[in-house]
Amino acid sequence: DTGVSQDPRHKITKRGQNVTFRCDPISEHNRLYWYRQTLGQGPEFLTYFQNEAQLEKSRLLSDRFSAERPKGSFSTLEIQRTEQGDSAMYLCASSPPEMEKETQYFGPGTRLLVL
Amino acid sequence: AQKVTQAQTEISVVEKEDVTLDCVYETRDTTYYLFWYKQPPSGELVFLIRRNSFDEQNEISGRYSWNFQKSTSSFNFTITASQVVDSAVYFCALSEARGGGTYKYIFGTGTRLKVLA
């Protein structure tokens, strides 16, 4: 089985620039989640998709953040006008539709550094 | 509100010692799920176990065991005969049930385990 993949693995950008991250879930997983993890903390929920529908967004997801999942397959997370406080690990997870197997499997993450 | 507390920030043990990682949770839901994940230095979260709120049976998987006690809202994780490869950050997580399945996870702050040779 191919796991969740994320691209890029690392991103360094200057404050004010836009960045976009991609997540490819495990095939046939209909649920996809984005989390953010800062140093010394656990992951914090950002947003959730079921198929192509974005069903919930955290208050952490300011208007500079946007996520999409066209056609219910891969997802992108874009941050506009990045700020130094956006520096973090961005994690993507996916889970299968079968209730008895409902567990989120995480990708390797994209580590963002905003200078 | 849901909350997960991992009071142990860092634990160091010598190889072959047993170690228990504590997890205390808060939720108003009657149906919920609890998880443990391992995060090695590479950064990827590795799923270890899922437990639903109706199943209080303890579970053992090799050197790993989990003790779920609803009465104390705890879901503790024990590693028996620890090995250097067990060194990682371990996260406990809680999820409310929605639509029959899980939903967003609430993570604790993690416990960094260092196993010394």
Coordinates of all heavy atoms in Angstrom, one line a residue, chain A residues 18-74:
Chain A
N18 N 3.6 33.7 -1.2 CA 2.6 32.7 -1.1 C 3.2 31.3 -1.3 O 4.2 31.1 -2.0 CB 1.5 32.9 -2.3 CG 0.8 34.2 -2.2 OD1 0.8 34.9 -1.1 ND2 0.2 34.6 -3.3
V19 N 2.7 30.3 -0.6 CA 3.1 28.9 -0.7 C 2.0 28.0 -0.9 O 0.9 28.3 -0.4 CB 4.0 28.5 0.5 CG1 5.3 29.3 0.6 CG2 3.2 28.6 1.8
T20 N 2.2 26.9 -1.5 CA 1.2 25.9 -1.7 C 1.8 24.5 -1.5 O 2.8 24.2 -2.0 CB 0.6 25.9 -3.2 OG1 0.0 27.2 -3.4 CG2 -0.5 24.8 -3.4
F21 N 1.0 23.7 -0.7 CA 1.4 22.4 -0.4 C 0.4 21.4 -1.0 O -0.8 21.7 -1.1 CB 1.5 22.2 1.1 CG 2.2 23.2 1.9 CD1 1.8 23.6 3.1 CD2 3.4 23.7 1.4 CE1 2.5 24.6 3.9 CE2 4.1 24.7 2.1 CZ 3.7 25.1 3.3
R22 N 0.9 20.2 -1.3 CA 0.1 19.2 -1.9 C 0.0 18.0 -1.0 O 1.1 17.6 -0.4 CB 0.6 18.8 -3.3 CG -0.3 17.7 -3.9 CD 0.2 17.4 -5.3 NE -0.4 16.2 -5.8 CZ -1.1 16.1 -6.9 NH1 -1.2 17.1 -7.7 NH2 -1.6 14.9 -7.3
C23 N -1.1 17.3 -0.9 CA -1.3 16.1 -0.2 C -2.0 15.1 -1.1 O -3.0 15.3 -1.7 CB -2.1 16.3 1.1 SG -2.5 14.7 1.9
D24 N -1.4 13.9 -1.2 CA -2.0 12.8 -1.9 C -2.4 11.7 -0.9 O -1.5 11.1 -0.3 CB -1.1 12.2 -3.0 CG -1.0 13.1 -4.2 OD1 -0.1 14.0 -4.2 OD2 -1.8 13.0 -5.1
P25 N -3.7 11.5 -0.7 CA -4.1 10.5 0.3 C -3.9 9.1 -0.2 O -3.6 8.9 -1.3 CB -5.6 10.9 0.5 CG -6.0 11.3 -0.9 CD -4.8 12.1 -1.4
I26 N -4.1 8.2 0.7 CA -4.2 6.8 0.4 C -5.4 6.6 -0.6 O -6.4 7.1 -0.3 CB -4.3 5.9 1.6 CG1 -3.0 6.0 2.5 CG2 -4.5 4.4 1.3 CD1 -3.1 5.4 3.8
S27 N -5.1 5.8 -1.6 CA -6.2 5.7 -2.6 C -7.4 5.1 -2.0 O -7.4 4.2 -1.1 CB -5.7 4.8 -3.8 OG -5.3 3.5 -3.3
E28 N -8.6 5.6 -2.4 CA -9.9 5.2 -1.9 C -10.2 5.7 -0.5 O -11.3 5.4 0.1 CB -10.1 3.6 -1.9 CG -9.9 3.1 -3.3 CD -10.1 1.6 -3.4 OE1 -10.2 1.0 -2.4 OE2 -10.1 1.1 -4.6
H29 N -9.3 6.5 0.1 CA -9.7 7.1 1.3 C -10.5 8.4 1.0 O -10.0 9.2 0.3 CB -8.4 7.6 2.1 CG -7.8 6.5 2.9 ND1 -6.9 6.7 3.9 CD2 -8.1 5.1 2.9 CE1 -6.6 5.5 4.5 NE2 -7.2 4.6 3.9
N30 N -11.7 8.5 1.5 CA -12.6 9.6 1.1 C -12.4 10.8 2.1 O -12.9 11.9 1.8 CB -14.0 9.1 1.0 CG -14.6 8.7 2.4 OD1 -13.9 8.3 3.2 ND2 -15.9 8.9 2.5
R31 N -11.8 10.6 3.2 CA -11.7 11.7 4.2 C -10.2 12.1 4.2 O -9.3 11.3 4.2 CB -12.1 11.2 5.6 CG -13.5 10.6 5.6 CD -13.9 10.3 7.0 NE -15.1 9.4 7.0 CZ -16.0 9.3 7.9 NH1 -15.9 10.1 8.9 NH2 -17.0 8.5 7.8
L32 N -10.1 13.4 4.2 CA -8.7 14.0 4.3 C -8.7 15.2 5.2 O -9.7 16.0 5.3 CB -8.4 14.5 2.8 CG -7.0 15.0 2.6 CD1 -6.5 14.7 1.2 CD2 -6.8 16.5 2.9
Y33 N -7.6 15.3 6.0 CA -7.5 16.2 7.1 C -6.2 17.0 6.9 O -5.2 16.4 6.5 CB -7.5 15.5 8.4 CG -8.7 14.7 8.7 CD1 -8.8 13.4 8.2 CD2 -9.7 15.1 9.6 CE1 -9.9 12.6 8.4 CE2 -10.8 14.3 9.9 CZ -10.9 13.1 9.3 OH -12.0 12.3 9.6
W34 N -6.2 18.2 7.3 CA -4.9 19.0 7.4 C -4.8 19.4 8.9 O -5.7 19.8 9.6 CB -5.0 20.3 6.6 CG -4.8 20.0 5.1 CD1 -5.7 19.9 4.2 CD2 -3.5 19.9 4.4 NE1 -5.2 19.7 2.9 CE2 -3.8 19.7 3.1 CE3 -2.2 19.9 4.8 CZ2 -2.8 19.6 2.1 CZ3 -1.2 19.8 3.9 CH2 -1.5 19.6 2.5
Y35 N -3.5 19.3 9.4 CA -3.2 19.7 10.7 C -1.9 20.5 10.7 O -1.1 20.4 9.7 CB -2.8 18.4 11.6 CG -4.0 17.6 12.0 CD1 -4.5 16.6 11.1 CD2 -4.7 17.7 13.2 CE1 -5.6 15.8 11.4 CE2 -5.8 16.9 13.5 CZ -6.2 15.9 12.6 OH -7.3 15.1 12.9
R36 N -1.7 21.3 11.7 CA -0.5 22.1 11.8 C 0.2 21.7 13.2 O -0.5 21.6 14.2 CB -0.7 23.6 11.8 CG 0.5 24.4 11.9 CD 0.1 25.9 11.6 NE -0.6 26.5 12.7 CZ -1.1 27.7 12.7 NH1 -1.0 28.5 11.6 NH2 -1.8 28.1 13.7
Q37 N 1.5 21.5 13.1 CA 2.2 21.2 14.3 C 3.4 22.1 14.5 O 4.3 22.2 13.7 CB 2.8 19.7 14.3 CG 3.4 19.2 15.5 CD 3.9 17.8 15.5 OE1 4.1 17.2 14.4 NE2 4.1 17.2 16.6
T38 N 3.4 22.8 15.6 CA 4.6 23.7 16.0 C 5.5 22.9 17.0 O 5.1 21.9 17.6 CB 4.1 25.0 16.6 OG1 3.2 24.7 17.7 CG2 3.3 25.8 15.5
L39 N 6.6 23.5 17.1 CA 7.7 22.8 17.9 C 7.2 22.5 19.3 O 6.7 23.4 20.0 CB 8.9 23.7 17.9 CG 10.2 22.9 18.2 CD1 10.5 21.9 17.2 CD2 11.4 23.9 18.2
G40 N 7.3 21.3 19.8 CA 7.0 20.9 21.1 C 5.5 20.8 21.4 O 5.1 20.6 22.5
Q41 N 4.7 20.8 20.3 CA 3.2 20.7 20.5 C 2.7 19.5 19.7 O 3.4 19.0 18.8 CB 2.5 22.0 20.0 CG 3.0 23.2 20.8 CD 2.6 23.2 22.2 OE1 1.5 22.8 22.6 NE2 3.5 23.5 23.1
G42 N 1.5 19.1 20.0 CA 0.8 18.1 19.2 C 0.2 18.8 18.0 O 0.0 20.0 18.0
P43 N -0.1 18.0 17.0 CA -0.8 18.5 15.8 C -2.1 19.2 16.2 O -2.8 18.7 17.1 CB -1.0 17.3 15.0 CG 0.0 16.3 15.4 CD 0.1 16.5 16.9
E44 N -2.5 20.3 15.5 CA -3.7 21.0 15.7 C -4.5 20.9 14.4 O -4.0 21.2 13.3 CB -3.5 22.4 16.1 CG -2.8 22.6 17.4 CD -2.5 24.1 17.7 OE1 -1.7 24.6 17.0 OE2 -3.2 24.7 18.6
F45 N -5.8 20.6 14.5 CA -6.7 20.4 13.4 C -6.9 21.8 12.6 O -7.1 22.8 13.3 CB -8.0 19.9 13.9 CG -9.1 20.0 12.8 CD1 -9.2 19.0 11.9 CD2 -10.1 21.0 12.8 CE1 -10.2 19.0 10.9 CE2 -11.1 21.0 11.9 CZ -11.2 20.0 10.9
L46 N -6.8 21.7 11.3 CA -7.0 22.9 10.5 C -8.3 22.7 9.7 O -9.2 23.6 9.7 CB -5.9 23.1 9.5 CG -4.5 23.5 10.1 CD1 -3.5 23.7 9.0 CD2 -4.7 24.8 10.9
T47 N -8.4 21.6 8.9 CA -9.6 21.5 8.1 C -9.8 20.1 7.7 O -8.9 19.2 7.8 CB -9.5 22.4 6.8 OG1 -10.8 22.4 6.2 CG2 -8.4 21.9 5.9
Y48 N -11.0 19.8 7.2 CA -11.5 18.4 6.9 C -12.3 18.3 5.7 O -13.2 19.2 5.5 CB -12.3 17.9 8.1 CG -13.2 16.7 8.0 CD1 -12.7 15.5 7.4 CD2 -14.5 16.9 8.3 CE1 -13.6 14.5 7.3 CE2 -15.4 15.8 8.2 CZ -15.0 14.6 7.7 OH -15.8 13.5 7.5
F49 N -12.0 17.4 4.8 CA -12.7 17.1 3.6 C -13.3 15.7 3.6 O -12.7 14.8 4.0 CB -11.8 17.2 2.4 CG -11.3 18.6 2.0 CD1 -10.2 19.1 2.6 CD2 -12.0 19.4 1.1 CE1 -9.7 20.3 2.3 CE2 -11.5 20.6 0.8 CZ -10.4 21.1 1.4
Q50 N -14.6 15.6 3.2 CA -15.1 14.3 2.9 C -15.4 14.4 1.4 O -16.2 15.1 0.9 CB -16.4 14.1 3.7 CG -17.0 12.7 3.5 CD -17.9 12.2 4.5 OE1 -17.7 12.5 5.7 NE2 -19.0 11.6 4.1
N51 N -14.7 13.5 0.7 CA -14.7 13.6 -0.8 C -14.2 15.0 -1.2 O -13.2 15.5 -0.6 CB -16.0 13.2 -1.4 CG -16.4 11.8 -1.0 OD1 -15.6 10.9 -1.2 ND2 -17.6 11.6 -0.5
E52 N -14.9 15.7 -2.0 CA -14.5 17.1 -2.4 C -15.0 18.2 -1.5 O -14.6 19.3 -1.7 CB -14.8 17.3 -3.9 CG -16.3 17.4 -4.2 CD -17.0 16.1 -4.4 OE1 -16.3 15.0 -4.2 OE2 -18.1 16.0 -4.8
A53 N -15.9 17.8 -0.6 CA -16.6 18.8 0.2 C -15.7 19.2 1.5 O -15.4 18.3 2.2 CB -17.9 18.3 0.6
Q54 N -15.5 20.4 1.6 CA -14.8 20.9 2.9 C -15.8 21.1 3.9 O -16.6 22.0 3.9 CB -14.0 22.2 2.6 CG -13.1 22.6 3.7 CD -12.3 23.9 3.4 OE1 -12.6 24.6 2.4 NE2 -11.2 24.1 4.1
L55 N -15.8 20.2 4.9 CA -16.9 20.2 5.9 C -16.6 21.0 7.2 O -17.6 21.4 7.8 CB -17.2 18.7 6.3 CG -17.7 17.9 5.2 CD1 -18.2 16.5 5.7 CD2 -18.9 18.5 4.4
E56 N -15.4 21.3 7.5 CA -15.1 22.1 8.6 C -13.8 22.7 8.5 O -12.8 22.2 8.0 CB -15.2 21.3 9.9 CG -14.9 22.1 11.2 CD -15.5 21.6 12.4 OE1 -16.5 20.8 12.3 OE2 -15.1 22.0 13.5
K57 N -13.7 24.0 9.0 CA -12.5 24.7 9.1 C -12.3 25.2 10.5 O -13.2 25.7 11.1 CB -12.5 25.9 8.2 CG -12.6 25.5 6.7 CD -12.3 26.7 5.8 CE -13.3 27.8 5.9 NZ -13.1 28.9 4.9
S58 N -11.1 25.1 11.0 CA -10.8 25.5 12.4 C -10.6 27.1 12.4 O -10.3 27.7 11.3 CB -9.4 24.9 12.8 OG -8.9 25.6 13.9
R59 N -10.8 27.6 13.5 CA -10.5 29.1 13.7 C -9.1 29.4 13.4 O -8.7 30.5 13.2 CB -10.9 29.5 15.1 CG -12.4 29.5 15.4 CD -12.7 29.8 16.8 NE -12.1 28.8 17.7 CZ -12.0 28.9 19.0 NH1 -12.5 30.0 19.6 NH2 -11.5 28.0 19.7
L60 N -8.2 28.4 13.5 CA -6.8 28.6 13.2 C -6.6 28.9 11.7 O -5.6 29.5 11.4 CB -6.0 27.3 13.5 CG -5.9 26.9 15.0 CD1 -5.2 25.6 15.1 CD2 -5.1 28.0 15.8
L61 N -7.5 28.5 10.9 CA -7.4 28.7 9.5 C -7.9 30.1 9.1 O -9.1 30.4 8.8 CB -8.2 27.7 8.7 CG -7.7 27.2 7.4 CD1 -6.4 26.4 7.7 CD2 -8.7 26.2 6.8
S62 N -6.9 31.1 9.2 CA -7.3 32.5 8.9 C -7.7 32.6 7.4 O -7.5 31.7 6.6 CB -6.2 33.4 9.3 OG -5.1 33.3 8.3
D63 N -8.1 33.8 7.0 CA -8.5 34.0 5.6 C -7.3 34.0 4.7 O -7.4 34.0 3.5 CB -9.3 35.3 5.5 CG -8.5 36.5 6.0 OD1 -7.3 36.4 6.4 OD2 -9.1 37.6 6.1
R64 N -6.1 33.9 5.2 CA -4.9 33.8 4.3 C -4.7 32.3 3.9 O -3.9 32.1 3.0 CB -3.6 34.3 5.1 CG -3.7 35.8 5.4 CD -2.3 36.2 6.0 NE -2.0 35.5 7.3 CZ -1.2 34.5 7.4 NH1 -0.5 34.1 6.4 NH2 -1.0 34.0 8.6
F65 N -5.4 31.4 4.6 CA -5.3 30.0 4.3 C -6.5 29.6 3.5 O -7.6 29.9 3.7 CB -5.3 29.2 5.6 CG -4.0 29.3 6.4 CD1 -3.7 30.5 7.1 CD2 -3.2 28.2 6.5 CE1 -2.6 30.6 7.9 CE2 -2.0 28.3 7.3 CZ -1.7 29.5 8.0
S66 N -6.2 28.7 2.5 CA -7.3 28.1 1.7 C -6.9 26.7 1.3 O -5.7 26.4 1.0 CB -7.6 28.9 0.5 OG -6.5 29.0 -0.4
A67 N -7.9 25.8 1.4 CA -7.6 24.4 1.1 C -8.7 24.0 0.1 O -9.8 24.4 0.1 CB -7.7 23.6 2.3
E68 N -8.2 23.1 -0.8 CA -9.1 22.6 -1.8 C -8.9 21.1 -2.0 O -7.8 20.6 -1.7 CB -8.9 23.2 -3.2 CG -9.2 24.7 -3.2 CD -9.0 25.3 -4.6 OE1 -8.2 24.7 -5.4 OE2 -9.5 26.4 -4.9
R69 N -9.9 20.4 -2.5 CA -9.7 19.0 -2.8 C -10.6 18.7 -4.1 O -11.6 18.1 -4.0 CB -10.1 18.1 -1.7 CG -9.7 16.6 -1.9 CD -10.2 15.7 -0.8 NE -9.7 14.4 -1.0 CZ -10.2 13.3 -0.4 NH1 -11.2 13.4 0.5 NH2 -9.7 12.1 -0.7
P70 N -10.1 19.2 -5.2 CA -10.9 19.0 -6.4 C -11.0 17.5 -6.8 O -10.1 16.7 -6.6 CB -10.0 19.7 -7.5 CG -8.7 19.7 -6.9 CD -8.8 19.8 -5.4
K71 N -12.2 17.1 -7.1 CA -12.5 15.7 -7.5 C -12.3 14.7 -6.4 O -12.2 13.5 -6.7 CB -11.6 15.3 -8.8 CG -11.8 16.2 -10.0 CD -11.0 15.8 -11.1 CE -11.1 16.8 -12.3 NZ -10.2 16.4 -13.4
G72 N -12.2 15.2 -5.2 CA -12.1 14.3 -4.1 C -10.8 13.4 -4.0 O -10.8 12.4 -3.4
S73 N -9.8 13.9 -4.7 CA -8.5 13.1 -4.7 C -7.5 13.8 -3.9 O -7.6 13.9 -2.7 CB -8.1 12.8 -6.1 OG -7.9 14.0 -6.8
F74 N -6.5 14.4 -4.6 CA -5.4 15.1 -3.8 C -6.0 16.4 -3.3 O -7.1 16.9 -3.7 CB -4.2 15.4 -4.7 CG -4.5 16.4 -5.8 CD1 -4.2 17.7 -5.6 CD2 -5.0 16.0 -7.0 CE1 -4.5 18.7 -6.6 CE2 -5.3 17.0 -8.0 CZ -5.0 18.3 -7.8

